[in-house]
Structures are given as C-alpha cells and as structure tokens.
Amino acid sequence: MNFDATDTIYIALALYALGTLTVLVSLIGKSMRLQHSALVIMIVGFGVHTMWIGTICARTGHPPITNLPETAAFLSWTIFAVELALWIRYRVYAAAFFVYPLVLLLLVVTAVVGEPFAGLPPELRSTLFTSHILLTILGVAGLMIGLAFTVLANAQDKALRSKQRGRLWEWIPSLNVCKVLSYRSLAIGFSVYTIGLITGVMWSYRTNAGPMDLRVKQVGAVVAWMFFAALLQTYISGGYRGRRTILISAGAFVAIIISIMGIARV
Amino acid sequence: MALVLIGLNHRTAPVNVRERLSVPEAKLPEVVRSLHAIEGVDGAALVSTCNRVEAIISSRTEDVITKVVDWLAMQGGSDRESLENHLYILRHVDVVKHLCRVASGLDSMIIGEPQIGGQVRSAFQAAQDLGALDGLLQQVYAQTMRVAKRVRTDTALGEHAVSIPFAAVELAKKIFGDLKGLQVLLLGAGEMGELTAEHLHKQSVKQVFVANRSFNRAVELAERFHGSAVQFDSIEENLATCDIVIASTAAPHYVIEPDQVRRALDARRNRNLFLIDLSVPRNINPDVAGIEGAYLYNVDDLQHVADANLELRQHKAKDAEQIVVREVEDFRKRLVAQDAVPTIVELQQRLETIRAAELEKCLRKLGPITAEQRLAIDLLTMQMVNKILHYPILQLKDVSDEPDRESLRNTIRKIFGLRA
C-alpha cells in the first residue's frame, strides 16, 4: 500500500477523534490531566492537518477551497487555530467540549466525501475569489467560536441563577470572560464574514454580470449573516441572555452548517 | 540510613500541648540548629504550624529517636512521659507519605487548605539554608513539594471555598473573573459582612464603599478597607456604580427593592451586579433574583455553596490520596535502587579482584600459552563470576516492599566479605 502525503488527513482525523474522545472522557471523569492530554493530542493532529494543507497548497497552487471536503477541512483547521489562540490567551478549557467535536465533524466530512483535488479553473484564479473564500472561512471560524462562548455564557448564567453547579461549572471561566470572548469573536467574525460575503458578491458580478445565484450555499450564507447580525445586536444593546440568545445562536449555527453542506463545487 | 518523623498535630494533641511546642518563625533557625546538633542526627528539618510540630530527621541508627523525643520534651518544657502520649513516630517511606499528605493539605483540619504547602516549603528551605538537610532529606523535600504541586494541579483540591466569606469571593470571581477594578458596597456593619468585605479587599478590588445608619461607624469601617463612607440614603446611586453589594444590616425590612436594582442595571448598561445578603431578616427583596443581570445570594445559598465545596474537596481528596500513594511508591523504589548501588558496586569489585588474582596465579602455573587460550580462560572466569553474581544482584535490585531488605543486604555483604 502506497502512502501519499495527502493521506496525512486520515492521521489528523484519527488524532482529532482521539482528542475529542479524551476531552469528553475528561468531562465525565472531571480530570484536568485528561483535558491537557486531549489538548496535546489535538495540537499534534493540528500539526498533521497543517502539513496536509501545505501539501494541497504545494500541489494545486492554491489553498484547499475548491470543493466541500477541502473547504470543510480548511474551516476545521481555522476553527482549531482560533480556539488554540484563545486558549493560549485565556486558558479556557470548557470551549473544547464544543470546538473539538465540531473540528472532528468537519474533518469527517472531508474524509467521507473525499473528492480528488483539482486545480482551480481559470475563471476562479483571481485574488478576489481567493479573498472571498479565505475571509468567509475565517469569519465563520470566528462566529463558531463566538457561538461556543455564547453557549458557555448561557450555561454559566443558568448555573449562577439556579445556584446549582452543573457538570461544566469547574471548566467554564467567569461569566464576564465568556461574554467578552463571545462578543469579541462574534464581532470580529461577523466583520470578516461580511467582507467575505461582499467580496463574493463582487466576484460574482465580475464573472457572471449579476449579484449571485440563489442556491443553498448562498441562501444559507445570507440567512446565517442575518442571524449573526441579530445576535450581535443583542450583545450591543445589552439584551444578551436567555432563551432568545440561544435560539438565535442555534439558528445561526444551522444556517452556517447548511451553507457549508451546500458547497458542492465552487 | 533511617528516616524518622516525630511529631504531634491537632488530632493527637490539644492546643495547650501544641502551643508549648510551637516555634515562632523567627526562632526556627536556632531550633533547627539545636535539633541538628543532637548526636547521631545527620539531617534535620522542623515543620511548625498552629496545628502541628514535626521533627524530620535522617540518621544512621534509630537510637536517635529517644534523644529527639527528649529534645522535644525539653523544647515544650514538659516531661517525656506526658509528651509521648501525644506523639507519633513514623519511619522511612511512611515519613515521605505523611509529608506528601501534609503538604498537599490532606492532613489539615480543613482538607485542601492552601497555606500548609507554603509552610512545609518554608520549613525545609530554612533547614536547607542552615545546611541541615543531608542528601536523603533533600530528596524527601524535593519529592514532597513535587507531590504537593501535582495534587494541586491535578485535583484542584484547594480551589473551592469552604467558608461563607470565601464562597462569596469565589462566586464573585465566577461572575466577574478578575476582581481588580471592581467596586464593592458594604451595607451595615454585621460581622459576616465585614469579613466578606475584608476578603474582597484582599483581592485588590478598586474600592470599598461603606454605608451604615451611623455615619461615624461607616467612616470607621471604610478606613479599615481604605475605602469611602457613603450616606445610607444614597444606596441607589451607589448600586449603579458598585459591582458587588454586601448587605449586612440589622434592619428588620428590605433595604434594596427590585425597582432600585432595575434602575441601577439600566444605568450600568447591563453590567452584572452581584448582591450578597448576609442579614437575617433579609435586607434584599428576593424578587431581585429574577432580574436579568442581577445575581442574588443569601446566607443560606452561600452556606450551600460552602457545603457543596467541602463535599467536592472530600471527593477530590480520594484522587489526591491515590496520587500520593503512587508517587510515594515510586520514590520508595528509587530509594531502594539507590541504596543497593554501593553494595552492588563493591560486590562486583570484590569478585573481580578475586578473579584477577586467581587468574594470574593459574596463568603462572600453566606456563606459556597462546593469546587465544588466554582469552578463552579470561572469558571463562568472567562468565563464572557474572553467573555467581547474577542472583545476589537480582535480589539487591529487587524493589518489592520487603521489610527485611536491610538484613538481606547485610547478609550478602557478610557472605562475600564486604565492609560492614
């Protein structure tokens, strides 16, 4: 059996699966040591994942953004990179319970769909298009992390209000940190995502002489944008908290996932 | 080499005995010097806290125990017989296990209390600075602190508050994170309220405001926290600027109502407000708990938090005990292996000397032989010696926990004629 450099994606997948399993076991066993082990495993997986992305870039001459598996893998990588940066800065452990499974899920999509790598068609070889994809993915990563912290903030608020500590109590940072991180991730993610969508529309104008097609991907992206705008508005107006925030977050998450799944081929 | 710990603690001795033996920090070097000067003591350290006094010594013989007990009796100004009723004497690996438990807070009156780790460190450091720690005690010191650190890192044993004021501080941290830069409003001069404000003050909050029916008393309290006294009637204005409110007045009615909190939260642009009601009858209307952004805890709620934390600490203590057991066993194995090394080296040297001498004699008797023949004889004798030594060395290296290890080592030394 020949081992190709692109097969490293399966090693990354196995490591992410192991890291996710470890982090979930640490939640049951309330073990900080296991949490650290999970992080180390995920970082190794991230390293292998980075090598895979490097290989794709070297072979095709562009980032892995041409089809669903590539985009899912790239999004998964970006989400973990953002999570890692936040962990280094704030040492927040609880986000791992949401982020690791998401990272794993996205890479599973890559492995299951498994389309061959392709060079970009000539019409897609433009800075505008690459910027659109990169900015959108970076924006989505920020928004996903923002959602994870929104959920954590909500869990912390509930625990403090009910005076009953839940299973996550020890892992979740202060309510203030959750809210600040959630707001910042959403604000930055939303801004980048918006620019990403605008560049997409501009590219569409340039190539199709029209705004854009209205397929699942595009509709999902716009609906997600509206949900995130509403979520951000609740933060800015100080109306954050409670059921409403969680419902908007869930809507935003579903819209984003539909949008990602709608990527068949660019 | 004998490792011994002789001491007493809050479980074995009443406070009137402990206080007599307790050594103030300033006097510790002098007392350790005197302990180290006892004949037969190779290394010495003394842990003295309000709950325990323990002398840790290493010596070549156990005869020194009697001398140390006499020394302790002398330090406490009591007779040996009455002191002995309160003393415990631990040996070898039990000493390491005990010290690890002590430094981890597992042997404390309140499980997991964080100060004891630092106190044990200071005691050993003082002995180290005096040159009173020999090689063995230095290893014990390093192992103790390593285990204590691991217990705290892996189990977070001491992180949960078990008193009402600390529980309030813990909750404040859960809401706000870092307490620096926060403002605290203390209403009334109840004892528990003062204590809670003091703990918050120690967390470097920005400012403590005190409001009391008697303004003079408010000024007096505010000075204690380097804060400011405010008029009792201006509570609502202060609600808007303060992040934590502690109500501890003797008023028989509510002094904070939901409408006041709602207006304050609007003015705070929905920054959270933590309200701690320590008074009975309560001073804060319980309906405040239903307002978004306001977190209200009364004295019962805080007691529940403290009780739950104590339960949590007890649960975590089980994990901590397992860590201690595993680490101490590793340490024991290292010590056994380390103790066996001189005997193994001597044994090998002794047999090599015999082999070389006998080989030389044999070669002289044989007369001229070829280089190959000489090599073959050399190899044969070497293999014989190695085979003879195989089982004795295996036994010496065996790290299983056998009580007669010392006597086995002495027997081997005797059989092979090594120095006693």
Side-chain angles (χ1 to χ4, degrees):
Chain A
M1 197 177 82
N2 291 331
F3 183 81
D4 188 86
T6 54
D7 292 336
T8 47
I9 194 73
Y10 297 106
I11 299 173
L13 181 66
L15 287 164
Y16 282 162
L18 184 63
T20 305
L21 187 70
T22 310
V23 89
L24 294 176
V25 172
S26 81
L27 176 62
I28 298 161
K30 293 186 174 178
S31 163
M32 187 57 91
R33 185 165 268 252
L34 274 181
Q35 262 266 355
H36 284 134
S37 307
L39 178 68
V40 171
I41 296 167
M42 291 298 283
I43 290 173
V44 176
F46 180 70
V48 178
H49 195 165
T50 310
M51 280 166 57
W52 179 83
I53 287 174
T55 308
I56 305 296
C57 291
R59 285 196 185 173
T60 62
H62 59 78
I65 49 176
T66 57
N67 52 30
L68 172 61
E70 286 184 19
T71 311
F74 192 53
L75 178 59
S76 161
W77 182 86
T78 314
I79 289 175
F80 189 76
V82 175
E83 155 71 3
L84 196 59
L86 287 176
W87 186 87
I88 290 166
R89 173 68 180 82
Y90 296 99
R91 289 288 188 273
V92 177
Y93 288 91
F97 301 121
F98 303 92
V99 173
Y100 293 4
L102 181 63
V103 166
L104 175 67
L105 182 77
L106 287 166
L107 212 61
V108 166
V109 170
T110 306
V112 171
V113 179
E115 285 180 30
F117 311 114
L120 277 176
E123 69 271 21
L124 300 183
R125 284 186 194 151
S126 76
T127 312
L128 204 56
F129 176 75
T130 309
S131 306
H132 158 62
I133 298 291
L134 289 178
L135 289 171
T136 311
I137 286 176
L138 195 62
V140 167
L143 292 170
M144 287 294 191
I145 297 286
L147 285 185
F149 279 101
T150 302
V151 173
L152 289 181
N154 195 62
Q156 188 72 290
D157 176 66
K158 266 190 174 171
L160 283 163
R161 202 162 284 289
S162 65
K163 289 146 192 170
Q164 299 288 323
R165 57 184 72 190
R167 196 165 270 283
L168 284 175
W169 173 263
E170 280 183 67
W171 306 99
I172 306 181
S174 71
L175 180 62
N176 203 31
V177 165
C178 288
K179 282 169 69 178
V180 166
L181 285 185
S182 173
Y183 174 67
R184 284 185 189 164
S185 304
L186 286 173
I188 295 169
F190 184 75
S191 310
V192 176
Y193 184 62
T194 306
I195 299 170
L197 291 190
I198 292 169
T199 49
V201 173
M202 285 165 65
W203 170 78
S204 186
Y205 258 114
R206 188 177 285 179
T207 53
N208 304 332
M212 57 183 178
D213 299 333
L214 284 179
R215 286 179 299 190
V216 175
K217 178 177 62 174
Q218 286 83 351
V219 173
V222 173
V223 171
W225 184 88
M226 290 194 291
F227 271 118
F228 281 118
L231 191 58
L232 205 54
Q233 191 274 335
T234 61
Y235 270 95
I236 293 165
S237 68
Y240 155 83
R241 281 179 223 110
R243 197 178 157 80
R244 191 175 145 222
T245 311
I246 286 300
L247 282 177
I248 299 173
S249 304
F253 182 76
V254 171
I256 279 285
I257 293 295
I258 290 173
S259 175
I260 292 167
M261 293 304 171
I263 302 170
R265 193 161 193 86
V266 289
Chain B
M1 182 71 87
L3 179 63
V4 181
L5 182 145
I6 306 165
L8 46 79
N9 65 17
H10 54 281
R11 282 192 212 89
T12 65
V15 67
N16 61 322
V17 176
R18 298 203 306 271
E19 71 189 0
R20 285 210 303 272
L21 278 166
S22 175
V23 180
E25 206 180 327
K27 277 188 75 182
L28 192 65
E30 182 194 324
V31 177
V32 172
R33 226 177 262 129
S34 128
L35 174 65
H36 192 215
I38 296 172
E39 195 187 341
V41 171
D42 294 327
L46 189 84
V47 176
S48 174
T49 70
C50 52
N51 280 334
R52 69 183 67 245
V53 176
E54 291 172 343
I56 305 116
I57 52 163
S58 66
S59 168
R60 269 150 294 177
T61 66
E62 285 212 354
D63 302 344
V64 80
I65 292 175
T66 320
K67 292 175 194 167
V68 174
V69 173
D70 286 338
W71 176 84
L72 279 170
M74 192 188 75
Q75 291 292 318
S78 58
D79 60 292
R80 183 196 162 88
E81 284 70 31
S82 60
L83 183 66
E84 266 180 336
N85 295 332
H86 304 293
L87 287 179
Y88 43 84
I89 300 174
L90 304 172
R91 291 173 177 82
H92 199 53
V93 80
D94 289 339
V95 174
V96 186
K97 186 178 178 186
H98 176 79
L99 283 171
C100 290
R101 292 188 74 250
V102 169
S104 308
L106 289 168
D107 198 50
S108 298
M109 200 179 263
I110 298 166
I111 293 175
E113 59 110 347
Q115 289 84 9
I116 187 70
Q119 288 168 329
V120 173
R121 180 186 292 280
S122 303
F124 272 99
Q125 194 55 52
Q128 174 116 306
D129 294 345
L130 293 167
L133 293 189
D134 63 349
L136 179 60
L137 283 190
Q138 276 179 5
Q139 287 185 61
V140 171
Y141 172 31
Q143 178 71 3
T144 302
M145 297 328 296
R146 205 176 76 82
V147 174
K149 188 179 173 193
R150 201 186 142 191
V151 164
R152 295 204 178 274
T153 313
D154 288 8
T155 67
L157 184 65
E159 281 184 14
H160 303 280
V162 290
S163 69
I164 286 180
F166 273 120
V169 173
E170 183 185 296
L171 284 166
K173 284 182 177 172
K174 269 289 175 196
I175 296 170
F176 300 105
D178 193 356
L179 301 187
K180 282 178 194 157
L182 297 188
Q183 304 206 109
V184 177
L185 173 62
L186 172 62
L187 298 176
E191 193 185 338
M192 195 69 86
E194 271 185 60
L195 209 54
T196 307
E198 193 177 313
H199 285 308
L200 286 167
H201 176 62
K202 282 181 186 163
Q203 297 289 323
S204 307
V205 291
K206 189 177 168 189
Q207 192 155 22
V208 179
F209 296 95
V210 184
N212 196 49
R213 293 281 179 206
S214 152
F215 191 74
N216 288 342
R217 176 77 178 121
V219 171
E220 197 181 300
L221 264 179
E223 274 173 13
R224 196 171 136 199
F225 305 123
H226 309 293
S228 311
V230 293
Q231 295 293 341
F232 202 83
D233 303 335
S234 63
I235 288 175
E236 193 169 329
E237 291 159 33
N238 289 290
L239 281 180
T241 54
C242 290
D243 308 281
I244 302 169
V245 179
I246 308 163
S248 181
T249 79
H253 52 78
Y254 299 141
V255 294
I256 297 180
E257 294 289 350
D259 284 344
Q260 291 175 296
V261 174
R262 274 192 204 98
R263 284 194 292 272
L265 280 169
D266 282 345
R268 295 169 62 76
R269 288 191 50 80
N270 287 294
R271 273 186 298 122
N272 294 321
L273 183 61
F274 181 30
L275 300 114
I276 306 163
D277 191 349
L278 298 171
S279 20
V280 180
R282 286 175 291 178
N283 286 167
I284 303 176
N285 188 327
D287 291 345
V288 166
I291 302 172
E292 297 252 342
Y295 300 91
L296 172 63
Y297 279 71
N298 63 34
V299 73
D300 281 0
D301 298 330
L302 291 170
Q303 187 59 57
H304 285 151
V305 171
D307 290 346
N309 281 347
L310 189 60
E311 209 174 297
L312 195 65
R313 278 195 187 190
Q314 279 157 354
H315 175 74
K316 288 184 171 187
K318 287 179 194 160
D319 297 339
E321 293 281 7
Q322 283 176 3
I323 292 173
V324 170
V325 168
R326 280 199 299 272
E327 289 280 349
V328 170
E329 178 57 13
D330 287 350
F331 184 70
R332 187 193 66 75
K333 285 179 180 171
R334 283 206 301 276
L335 275 189
V336 169
Q338 198 175 300
D339 281 357
V341 169
T343 307
I344 293 171
V345 171
E346 269 186 66
L347 195 57
Q348 284 170 327
Q349 283 172 346
R350 170 88 176 138
L351 264 76
E352 177 56 24
T353 313
I354 296 170
R355 187 191 74 86
E358 292 305 313
L359 181 66
E360 204 48 50
K361 267 194 239 168
C362 173
L363 289 175
R364 273 203 301 272
K365 278 182 193 165
L366 277 177
I369 54 169
T370 63
E372 286 83 16
Q373 286 169 329
R374 190 195 159 97
L375 190 67
I377 296 170
D378 201 26
L379 211 61
L380 171 78
T381 53
M382 268 201 287
Q383 280 170 349
M384 281 173 69
V385 167
N386 284 345
K387 289 229 155 96
I388 292 165
L389 282 180
H390 180 68
Y391 284 104
I393 288 179
L394 221 55
Q395 287 298 313
L396 285 168
K397 280 185 174 172
D398 181 13
V399 291
S400 59
D401 192 10
E402 285 176 22
D404 57 350
R405 178 155 308 285
E406 187 71 34
S407 84
L408 172 77
R409 201 178 303 137
N410 288 338
T411 308
I412 290 175
R413 296 186 76 91
K414 214 172 193 174
I415 289 170
F416 287 95
L418 305 179
R419 282 180 291 112

